[in-house]
Amino acid sequence: MRHTALFLMLAACPLARAAEGDSTETIVRAVYDVISGEAGARDWARFRSLFAEGARLISMRVTAEGATPRVMTVDDYARQAGASFEKNAFYEREVSRRVEMFGNIAHVFSTYESRRAPGEKPPFARGINSFQLVKDGKAWKVMTILWDAEREGNPIPEKYLTPVVGAKVARQAVSGLHSAVRLPVSADR
């Protein structure tokens, strides 16, 4: 009976993998990992576990009237994107990243490329995902992802396209110190 209760408790635990919330890099990488893959179902339970309570995903849409945000809950996104992913392969890869951190918050400007097959040239879309992260206890969680796509009249500036290779993550030595960090992006992500 005791083992059954333990099993039920463990089964109810979030599905984020142990290292996924260890750093801003691992939590962002996990989001890209979950949404990318062949046509078919995604692990939406794992996806949900990466987000803080009340999190939002916001895409910028351009209409004849101008730009407008489309606000979704994590479940809204899973439903809407999931329907497309069931029928279509989708691979999104981070190509450059800028991170700013202070205390228990972080902002990650993550430049992405979207493809229908790994290595497809050119990508069918590029843009920037603006991740707002919170440190919830000992783990990083996504609070918001706000994104906009590259398009005519809205090119991605060069400073958001150049990956920095071999850079090390700056650690805060003094409480309250604000740091801006560019992290390396591995070639396979």
Side-chain angles (χ1 to χ4, degrees):
M1 188 68 152
R2 190 173 178 184
H3 295 292
T4 303
L6 178 60
F7 174 77
L8 292 174
M9 284 175 35
L10 290 174
C13 289
L15 299 175
R17 297 175 183 158
E20 289 180 342
D22 287 355
S23 69
T24 58
E25 181 178 7
T26 58
I27 195 73
V28 169
R29 185 182 309 140
V31 171
Y32 283 114
D33 184 51
V34 171
I35 64 172
S36 296
E38 292 295 323
R42 300 298 192 260
D43 186 348
W44 294 116
R46 177 181 171 213
F47 184 76
R48 286 179 190 92
S49 73
L50 302 173
F51 289 81
E53 186 176 334
R56 295 290 182 260
L57 292 100
I58 307 164
S59 64
M60 292 304 298
R61 302 287 182 199
V62 178
T63 66
E65 292 80 40
T68 183
R70 180 172 179 230
V71 180
M72 296 170 276
T73 66
V74 176
D75 287 332
D76 291 339
Y77 179 85
R79 255 188 320 278
Q80 293 167 22
S84 175
F85 295 160
E86 285 282 336
K87 300 174 198 160
N88 304 295
F90 179 80
Y91 295 87
E92 195 160 86
R93 177 175 85 87
E94 182 178 59
V95 296
S96 184
R97 174 187 312 164
R98 286 185 168 223
V99 178
E100 293 193 36
M101 298 171 67
F102 178 76
N104 293 305
I105 63 172
H107 179 232
V108 179
F109 236 43
S110 175
T111 305
Y112 66 84
E113 294 180 339
S114 301
R115 293 176 165 79
R116 296 289 178 210
E120 174 185 57
K121 300 283 182 182
F124 72 84
R126 296 188 330 165
I128 295 179
N129 286 318
S130 172
F131 287 82
Q132 287 73 51
L133 306 174
V134 295
K135 195 161 194 180
D136 182 8
K138 293 183 179 181
W140 287 99
K141 296 282 186 174
V142 177
M143 192 73 235
T144 308
I145 305 174
L146 171 65
W147 69 94
D148 199 359
E150 183 176 51
R151 59 190 167 277
E152 188 175 325
N154 192 44
I156 297 174
E158 186 60 36
K159 69 182 180 179
Y160 298 122
L161 289 170
T162 308
V164 176
V165 179
K168 298 205 179 206
V169 177
R171 299 286 178 210
Q172 290 180 229
V174 179
S175 177
L177 177 63
H178 185 263
S179 64
V181 183
R182 274 188 79 137
L183 297 173
V185 176
S186 63
D188 65 331
R189 282 271 115 280

